[in-house]
Amino acid sequence: MIITPESKISFDPVSIIVDGKRVFPMMGEMHFSRYPKKYWEEELCKMKAGGIDIVSLYVIWIHHEEIQGEFDFTGDRCLRDFLATVKKCGLYSILRIGPWAHGEARNGGFPDWLLLDAKDKGYEVRTDDPRYLEHVKKFYEKTYEQAKGFFIKDGGPVIGIQIENEYGHVGGKNGEEGEQHMRTLRDMALSIGFDAPLYTATGWGGAVTGGMLPVMGGYCEAPWDPRTTEIEPSGNYIFTKERNDHNIGSDHGLGAGITFDMSKFPFLTAELGGGLQVTHHRRPIATGLDTAAMTMVKMGSGANLLGYYMYHGGTNPKGKLTTLQETKETGYPNDLPAYSYDFNAPLREYGQMEDTYREVRLISSFVHDFGSDMCDMPYVAQPGNPLKPNNLTDIRTSVRCKKRNLADGRECYSGYLFVNNYQRRYKMADHSDVELTAYADNGEVICKFPKRDLKDGDFFFYPFNMPIGDKALLTIDATPVCKLDNYDGKGHSAYVFYTDSDEDTKSDVQGDLDGNNIVTITRKEAVHSTKVNIGGRDYLIVSDGEAVTAADGNVELYFEIVDKCSMKPMFRAFPTLEHTPSSFNRLKEAGKVENFASSDVFAIYEGKNEYTNTTVAAFEAKEKSEESSKYEISVSDMPENSSEVFIHIDYKGCDAEMFRNGDVIADNFYTGQEWEIGLKRFVGSPKDGFSAEMNIRPLKEGMAIYLQNWPELKDGAICKIDKISSLAQFKEVIS
């Protein structure tokens, strides 16, 4: 997606349109005020490598005006510098300017002084009361000072503004009074200078939108749900034209229906859960497959923008007067960690690239190359597709398709059959020898795929009559990954697919491939692949590490090594790189490329340099009582050529905090996962080492806490560290 200052950006009931062409963007949320400024560029490049086009972000009022009249847009809170970095990294942005944000922030992002002022003077926030709007206007004006010159019309990255959040669902007014308030805020923003082609508003749960472009959401679980038991199956794993997620914000009340006319707006998402932020009482773990299956279902249900909240986790800044997280003490329904906003996101609190990152990258790879063509393929409900998530037996399918004109004048249906047999935390029925069939909206059979077994946890989509170049159509029982342009240096393209089945891939090509090629790889290879461009040619890089294109254009391979181990970095590439990287040897050239080639087409590269994780991480028990266990954490001998060192603390307890010089530097609610902490933000250089105190509070039998897996409790409680280990991260340039 390329947008210039001269571009015309609009939308119709189908999709966003840029310069007359439909676009299918990928969007991810990152909060600049929750991440150290000196690492913004690196993290934004990771986001782009993960497939993100648009960075959405809250401007959280309390982070910038905690004390009335004392605005702080410096350092990690500098919106202007963040937008400059977004532009440098070749990304776009949607500003979510509130004034109320939620985002698990204190008072939903409202400063304490605003609420006290409203109480003292007898006005209601989030209304058209002039006394409230006066404060909002000042906040908007200060925010605009930061954003001025960074709108798309100025050559900057900002293409959209979101007004308010969940208004009329989580607080605020309903009906015409609510609609008018949304219009008031939009008009105020426009008058101040927020001149962007897109104005959006969240549309789920009965929220009002003021006529702005509604964006939707969907989470795989609900850590805000007041229950501490396993909850019912999520409806976000069902194919349906229903865009609403009734469960978002259900701690404030059950979500109502849609307040806008869905026939007038495209199906766009802004808050697909890239993970889940745990609360004190509810601590589910969102996996990469949880997010990937939900994303595919939304795409198969007609979504034409995939936006993730959060895409990048972070850490709450320290407040001048209070901690800045949501708490029950402030009247909100949940207690959150004072600092950690990890979210189990694709990129986590310390920039970790883990399974969810790879799963979302795989989907975005398809979207970038084929999403625009799919935009005007409407969702077609399929016979037998269940509409309730508690149906764990029937096969869930959908179709997105349209008619194409063939060279001989005939028409055919072209599109995708989506199949989901995945329901988070529930077992789906297995099916043997299923003949998967795509139906048109009139009930006509438009494609039958070869029989296959369908197992619990399977989800995928197959193309039928998919254009390959200008002269061929392909039907194949494999899932599209990407298209590698000019892969042979002669202008031809390679179309890459993955198969998740043990059976041989079966395909049908109509027409002339005209020099283009089709390559099939395994799902594991696809998940670990990144499409990069080097010297004007596309390549597919497959590695246990992650290939990230830096802002200067160099492709860097991030790789990690566990305690006391050594390795040489390795990667595979298709096709063979035109120039072997200076720090690598080529062990094998790519095999001969023929249609439907398998994974042996990859060239193999091994690093010349061996890297070692020399880190020594240790812990020592200091004090123990019924209320807590205290430990001393020490880390030394970190490799000086590492780009980051993560310590993994395997502890058992209710929650934990880490202190240096008496100040909390990190905290964590126990979920059963190891606590991962990146050390580079805490040390001047690896040779400095790291030490801190850790305090654990006990997890006790009978606590009103939901955990997916409880540890074994001895004498009714547990509060200890079992082990500590390290993971050293390194980088090598491969372009």
Side-chain angles (χ1 to χ4, degrees):
M1 185 174 73
I2 298 176
I3 305 176
T4 69
E6 294 75 31
S7 290
K8 182 180 179 181
I9 306 173
S10 61
F11 65 87
D12 66 8
V14 173
S15 71
I16 294 173
I17 299 170
V18 177
D19 296 328
K21 297 181 180 179
R22 299 197 181 281
V23 297
F24 191 136
M26 298 289 296
M27 183 165 73
E29 186 97 4
M30 178 182 179
H31 297 158
F32 62 100
S33 55
R34 283 171 160 158
Y35 210 81
K37 177 180 180 177
K38 60 183 175 180
Y39 305 124
W40 286 347
E41 183 177 317
E42 178 181 19
E43 299 308 305
L44 288 167
C45 286
K46 290 180 189 174
M47 289 181 71
K48 188 174 183 180
I52 296 303
D53 306 299
I54 302 169
V55 181
S56 56
L57 61 127
Y58 280 136
V59 185
I60 301 173
W61 194 345
I62 195 172
H63 288 188
H64 303 286
E65 195 189 7
E66 188 178 357
I67 299 171
Q68 186 174 6
E70 296 182 12
F71 284 92
D72 185 358
F73 282 96
T74 63
D76 298 346
R77 292 173 165 88
C78 186
L79 172 60
R80 190 167 189 82
D81 287 350
F82 186 74
L83 292 176
T85 311
V86 171
K87 178 181 177 180
K88 180 180 180 181
C89 295
L91 293 159
Y92 304 102
S93 181
I94 289 183
L95 292 181
R96 307 174 85 182
I97 62 173
W100 190 85
H102 196 197
E104 289 70 54
R106 183 179 176 87
N107 312 319
F110 279 165
D112 286 13
W113 64 259
L114 174 67
L115 301 181
L116 290 172
D117 188 68
K119 183 178 179 180
D120 290 344
K121 296 178 180 176
Y123 63 86
E124 188 177 357
V125 297
R126 302 181 81 184
T127 70
D128 271 0
D129 190 298
R131 292 167 291 183
Y132 169 66
L133 293 177
E134 180 183 355
H135 295 305
V136 173
K137 185 178 181 182
K138 289 178 182 176
F139 171 60
Y140 274 11
E141 287 173 340
K142 290 295 185 180
T143 302
Y144 175 71
E145 288 177 10
Q146 293 285 306
K148 185 179 181 180
F150 284 96
F151 295 92
I152 195 70
K153 67 183 179 66
D154 309 311
V158 179
I159 61 171
I161 302 294
Q162 180 185 300
I163 295 295
E164 252 284 349
N165 188 54
E166 300 177 313
Y167 188 81
H169 168 37
V170 180
K173 301 295 183 180
N174 301 108
E176 179 52 35
E177 188 178 2
E179 299 282 1
Q180 180 54 53
H181 181 63
M182 292 293 284
R183 291 192 290 267
T184 297
L185 292 176
R186 177 199 61 198
D187 292 346
M188 178 189 291
L190 284 166
S191 68
I192 289 170
F194 287 95
D195 185 4
L198 300 176
Y199 262 74
T200 72
T202 52
W204 56 81
V208 296
T209 62
M212 288 173 278
L213 179 60
V215 291
M216 308 307 291
Y219 290 82
C220 68
E221 225 261 22
W224 51 82
D225 191 297
R227 292 171 290 178
T228 56
T229 56
E230 195 78 49
I231 62 174
E232 60 278 350
S234 168
N236 289 309
Y237 294 95
I238 288 287
F239 296 109
T240 172
K241 65 179 180 181
E242 168 67 66
R243 302 180 185 182
N244 196 22
D245 184 345
H246 298 266
N247 207 21
I248 300 180
S250 59
D251 48 342
H252 290 262
L254 184 64
I258 298 292
T259 62
F260 58 90
D261 185 346
M262 289 196 299
S263 68
K264 295 181 179 179
F265 296 97
F267 182 8
L268 311 177
T269 67
E271 286 200 20
L272 291 182
L276 295 167
Q277 177 63 15
V278 297
T279 58
H280 186 272
H281 70 277
R282 189 164 191 86
R283 307 178 184 190
I285 300 170
T287 68
L289 292 177
D290 290 341
T291 299
M294 180 181 66
T295 299
M296 190 207 72
V297 167
K298 292 298 181 184
M299 186 165 66
S301 298
N304 280 337
L305 182 153
L306 298 174
Y308 295 91
Y309 186 101
M310 295 290 292
Y311 187 89
H312 201 309
T315 308
N316 290 324
K318 297 220 172 193
K320 300 179 179 70
L321 306 175
T322 64
T323 53
L324 300 180
Q325 88 281 19
E326 177 183 333
T327 63
K328 290 182 178 179
E329 183 182 51
T330 62
Y332 274 66
N334 307 297
D335 282 318
L336 277 293
Y339 299 105
S340 177
Y341 200 60
D342 177 81
F343 224 89
N344 260 305
L347 292 169
R348 296 183 60 187
E349 181 174 6
Y350 299 96
Q352 305 102 303
M353 296 175 279
E354 297 186 359
D355 285 347
T356 306
Y357 178 80
R358 292 184 276 270
E359 292 286 350
V360 171
R361 180 180 61 194
L362 176 57
I363 292 168
S364 68
S365 184
F366 163 78
V367 167
H368 281 158
D369 287 343
F370 308 110
S372 294
D373 182 62
M374 190 172 63
C375 279
D376 60 355
M377 296 179 181
Y379 162 72
V380 180
Q382 297 294 288
N385 174 60
L387 296 179
K388 299 292 183 182
N390 57 0
N391 182 335
L392 305 176
T393 302
D394 293 332
I395 299 174
R396 304 172 182 185
T397 61
S398 77
V399 163
R400 291 186 66 172
C401 68
K402 62 185 175 185
K403 287 187 175 180
R404 293 190 191 277
N405 292 318
L406 302 176
D408 60 6
R410 292 180 297 126
E411 281 187 334
C412 72
Y413 282 100
S414 174
Y416 302 91
L417 171 68
F418 294 83
V419 180
N420 179 44
N421 205 40
Y422 186 102
Q423 181 71 53
R424 183 183 184 276
R425 301 288 292 165
Y426 289 86
K427 179 173 174 55
M428 299 289 293
D430 294 332
H431 302 269
S432 300
D433 288 333
V434 178
E435 185 176 59
L436 298 170
T437 304
Y439 296 86
D441 55 5
N442 62 2
E444 176 187 352
V445 174
I446 52 179
C447 185
K448 288 187 177 183
F449 288 94
K451 290 183 178 180
R452 63 162 288 170
D453 292 340
L454 192 60
K455 298 177 182 178
D456 171 45
D458 286 345
F459 61 94
F460 54 87
F461 58 102
Y462 290 163
F464 52 90
N465 292 326
M466 176 184 185
I468 302 295
D470 298 324
K471 299 179 181 180
L473 297 175
L474 173 69
T475 300
I476 186 171
D477 56 348
T479 300
V481 176
C482 65
K483 179 165 70 82
L484 304 177
D485 289 330
N486 194 29
Y487 83 100
D488 59 356
K490 299 177 181 178
H492 298 120
S493 297
Y495 291 74
V496 182
F497 298 79
Y498 77 77
T499 177
D500 66 337
S501 171
D502 295 331
E503 302 295 326
D504 291 336
T505 298
K506 298 177 179 61
S507 62
D508 175 43
V509 177
Q510 297 184 45
D512 182 3
L513 288 172
D514 198 27
N516 298 306
N517 269 297
I518 296 163
V519 177
T520 58
I521 60 178
T522 67
R523 190 180 194 281
K524 181 179 179 181
E525 288 170 330
V527 166
H528 286 275
S529 71
T530 309
K531 176 180 168 180
V532 301
N533 188 279
I534 301 173
R537 292 175 62 180
D538 287 342
Y539 297 90
L540 197 66
I541 304 296
V542 176
S543 174
D544 288 338
E546 314 300 340
V548 175
T549 301
D552 62 7
N554 282 326
V555 179
E556 299 176 322
L557 185 70
Y558 288 68
F559 57 99
E560 296 170 341
I561 305 175
V562 299
D563 273 334
K564 305 297 180 298
C565 290
S566 299
M567 63 170 281
K568 294 181 178 180
M570 295 189 70
F571 69 93
R572 291 183 285 164
F574 172 75
T576 301
L577 298 178
E578 191 170 3
H579 302 289
T580 299
S582 60
S583 56
F584 285 80
N585 292 314
R586 190 177 70 212
L587 302 184
K588 172 186 174 294
E589 189 162 351
K592 183 179 180 182
V593 181
E594 297 178 341
N595 288 327
F596 310 105
S598 61
S599 56
D600 63 3
V601 299
F602 287 99
I604 300 175
Y605 298 84
E606 182 184 61
K608 296 177 180 177
N609 303 314
E610 186 169 80
Y611 291 81
T612 302
N613 180 5
T614 55
T615 305
V616 176
F619 66 93
E620 181 182 353
K622 289 295 185 181
E623 300 176 31
K624 187 170 184 177
S625 67
E626 289 187 2
E627 289 76 33
S628 68
S629 294
K630 292 182 170 59
Y631 292 86
E632 182 76 25
I633 305 296
S634 62
V635 183
S636 62
D637 298 325
M638 292 184 281
E640 293 192 25
N641 58 345
S642 62
S643 57
E644 174 65 290
V645 171
F646 301 102
I647 54 171
H648 289 201
I649 304 173
D650 184 0
Y651 82 95
K652 307 291 190 299
C654 179
D655 53 71
E657 293 176 315
M658 192 162 286
F659 296 83
R660 295 186 88 183
N661 302 318
D663 292 331
V664 179
I665 62 168
D667 59 2
N668 178 263
F669 283 178
Y670 174 77
T671 63
Q673 298 168 285
E674 292 183 347
W675 185 12
E676 300 179 25
I677 303 174
L679 299 184
K680 69 181 179 183
R681 69 176 64 176
F682 301 118
V683 299
S685 69
K687 64 183 179 182
D688 293 338
F690 173 83
S691 62
E693 297 174 352
M694 182 172 164
N695 185 44
I696 308 172
R697 281 179 283 269
L699 182 67
K700 298 180 180 180
E701 187 176 4
M703 277 185 162
I705 291 174
Y706 169 78
L707 286 170
Q708 289 182 193
N709 295 295
W710 277 76
E712 182 179 349
L713 304 182
K714 185 177 180 181
D715 299 324
I718 194 166
C719 186
K720 64 173 184 173
I721 295 177
D722 283 335
K723 67 175 182 178
I724 184 170
S725 59
S726 72
L727 195 66
Q729 183 184 84
F730 303 87
K731 293 188 221 176
E732 277 277 22
V733 175
I734 64 173
S735 64

